[in-house]
Amino acid sequence: MSGNVFPVRDYDLAATLSSGQAFRWREEGAAWVGIIGKHWVRLASDGCSLVAETAEPVSDWTWLTHYLQLEIDLEAVLRSFPQDEAMRAAVVSCRGLRLLRQGPWECLASFILSSTKQIVQIRQIVATLCERYGEPVKVPSGYAPEYAFPEPARLAAVSEADLRACKMGFRAPYLLEAARRVASGQLDLAALGSLPEAQARERLMDLPGVGRKIADCVLLFAYGFPEAFPVDVWVIKALQKLYFPRRRAKLRRLQEFAGTYFGPHGGYAQQYLFHYMRVMGNVVRKS
DNA sequence: TACCAGGAGAGCG
DNA sequence: CGCTCTCATGGT
């Protein structure tokens, strides 16, 4: 076991790790356990710092601070949001919500699997995929075996039927084709980050099964393009209810509005709206 | 049971 | 274009 303490305030681990950006974190008491690359990690927060434990000794923690985006000035991000009633409410409801910076392949593959799936189901499919095709990672003694997210080359070598057996349904051929293009070098994921946002989006949307929404998720959650603004069913509900309450706006119109209205950290604003709507939905449903 | 889920793509008028 | 249907599967 190895550990480290990182001073940071306003980091809501629960909101961040369960908000539908990443699908491999589970709550364990007051802590969160997950896999980042080849590392098993347990994270806990005490308000002014974040405590990390790993299964293996770590000398350079850059992979973790980068993933968690600890260097981000959240206050500055929040200040850049439009000062309207809806955004204020969203920020108050989940202060400390952050955007992660994930590996492009895991992020792309996960969101290909996400289409018309609930978050709990996406987690299940990803878990099955990792158990069957991921490389084992070192875990602390007493813990169940864990696996890295499968490499593109590994998935490129399996059959569509094998993938369907992981319960991903019609998404199987999409994931398979993505794995093949990345494994063959036809799609260079590492190069996308240095392209202009629009070009990177185009490249992603060349993939079958990847439209505007999934491409924007990858642009935001893996590459950190700050203005990428995924518009999904929840965000449509939020934008419709909060900003277009009178008339029914079309997707194209909402897309356009989102791209201009929310400022230089639109992606962050989007995640607050998304989380806010989901939490509100649960509250309403329970009461 | 009926409906919906962090969509995308094909078919149709 | 813009709308509708379909895709596979599980949760509520």
Side-chain angles (χ1 to χ4, degrees):
Chain A
M1 292 278 282
S2 178
N4 206 347
V5 179
F6 304 91
V8 62
R9 52 198 182 83
D10 269 344
Y11 205 115
D12 187 337
L13 276 180
T16 302
L17 300 178
S18 70
S19 65
Q21 307 178 54
F23 303 98
R24 301 205 61 199
W25 292 94
R26 69 167 196 279
E27 202 165 8
E28 184 192 88
W32 289 81
V33 174
I35 308 296
I36 303 175
K38 301 178 190 310
H39 299 279
W40 180 98
V41 196
R42 178 166 51 213
L43 299 172
S45 173
D46 70 358
C48 62
S49 67
L50 200 150
V51 181
E53 290 176 291
T54 57
E56 292 189 303
V58 172
S59 53
D60 182 357
W61 290 88
T62 308
W63 57 273
L64 182 64
T65 58
H66 187 252
Y67 180 91
L68 294 171
Q69 291 286 286
L70 293 183
E71 69 278 13
I72 280 282
D73 180 355
L74 185 62
E75 290 301 325
V77 170
L78 299 182
R79 277 198 303 273
S80 77
F81 290 175
Q83 300 294 314
D84 63 52
E85 205 56 44
M87 271 318 305
R88 250 193 295 276
V91 168
V92 167
S93 79
C94 46
R95 171 171 286 277
L97 173 64
R98 307 286 187 128
L99 288 180
L100 301 170
R101 186 70 62 86
Q102 304 173 58
W105 168 243
E106 176 171 343
C107 187
L108 171 62
S110 297
F111 278 94
I112 285 174
L113 299 176
S114 77
S115 81
T116 29
K117 278 291 182 194
Q118 299 184 128
I119 291 176
V120 283
Q121 271 183 283
I122 302 166
R123 299 168 54 82
Q124 183 54 54
I125 296 170
V126 168
T128 304
L129 197 62
C130 292
E131 284 165 22
R132 295 189 182 178
Y133 302 110
E135 294 293 322
V137 300
K138 171 84 172 162
V139 302
S141 62
Y143 274 87
E146 299 268 11
Y147 303 88
F149 194 89
E151 294 298 322
R154 179 70 185 100
L155 294 184
V158 309
S159 71
E160 182 181 322
D162 290 333
L163 294 182
R164 282 181 183 268
C166 298
K167 308 300 183 186
M168 65 184 71
F170 61 83
R171 305 158 194 82
Y174 298 155
L175 178 60
L176 187 54
E177 179 62 16
R180 285 176 175 165
R181 288 195 197 177
V182 174
S184 72
Q186 185 184 341
L187 175 58
D188 182 0
L189 288 181
L192 294 191
S194 48
L195 292 178
E197 179 176 330
Q199 286 182 36
R201 180 181 292 111
E202 276 182 42
R203 297 303 311 277
L204 290 170
M205 289 178 67
D206 278 343
L207 291 164
V210 178
R212 176 64 188 257
K213 189 269 170 181
I214 291 176
D216 278 358
C217 283
V218 179
L219 292 177
L220 184 61
F221 301 142
Y223 294 102
F225 285 99
E227 295 188 71
F229 197 107
V231 178
D232 75 319
V233 290
W234 289 97
V235 173
I236 288 173
K237 283 179 199 166
L239 296 178
Q240 183 74 60
K241 181 185 167 89
L242 302 173
Y243 299 100
F244 299 87
R246 288 289 152 219
R247 58 202 167 85
R248 237 180 82 70
K250 292 175 193 169
L251 176 59
R252 188 80 194 99
R253 177 77 185 95
L254 294 176
Q255 195 72 254
E256 193 183 346
F257 171 74
T260 57
Y261 181 72
F262 291 96
H265 298 284
Y268 247 98
Q270 174 275 158
Q271 196 64 12
Y272 274 84
L273 288 175
F274 174 76
H275 193 268
Y276 179 52
M277 285 304 283
R278 289 215 314 145
V279 171
M280 291 299 285
N282 288 334
V283 170
V284 170
R285 213 169 298 141
K286 281 174 186 168
S287 58

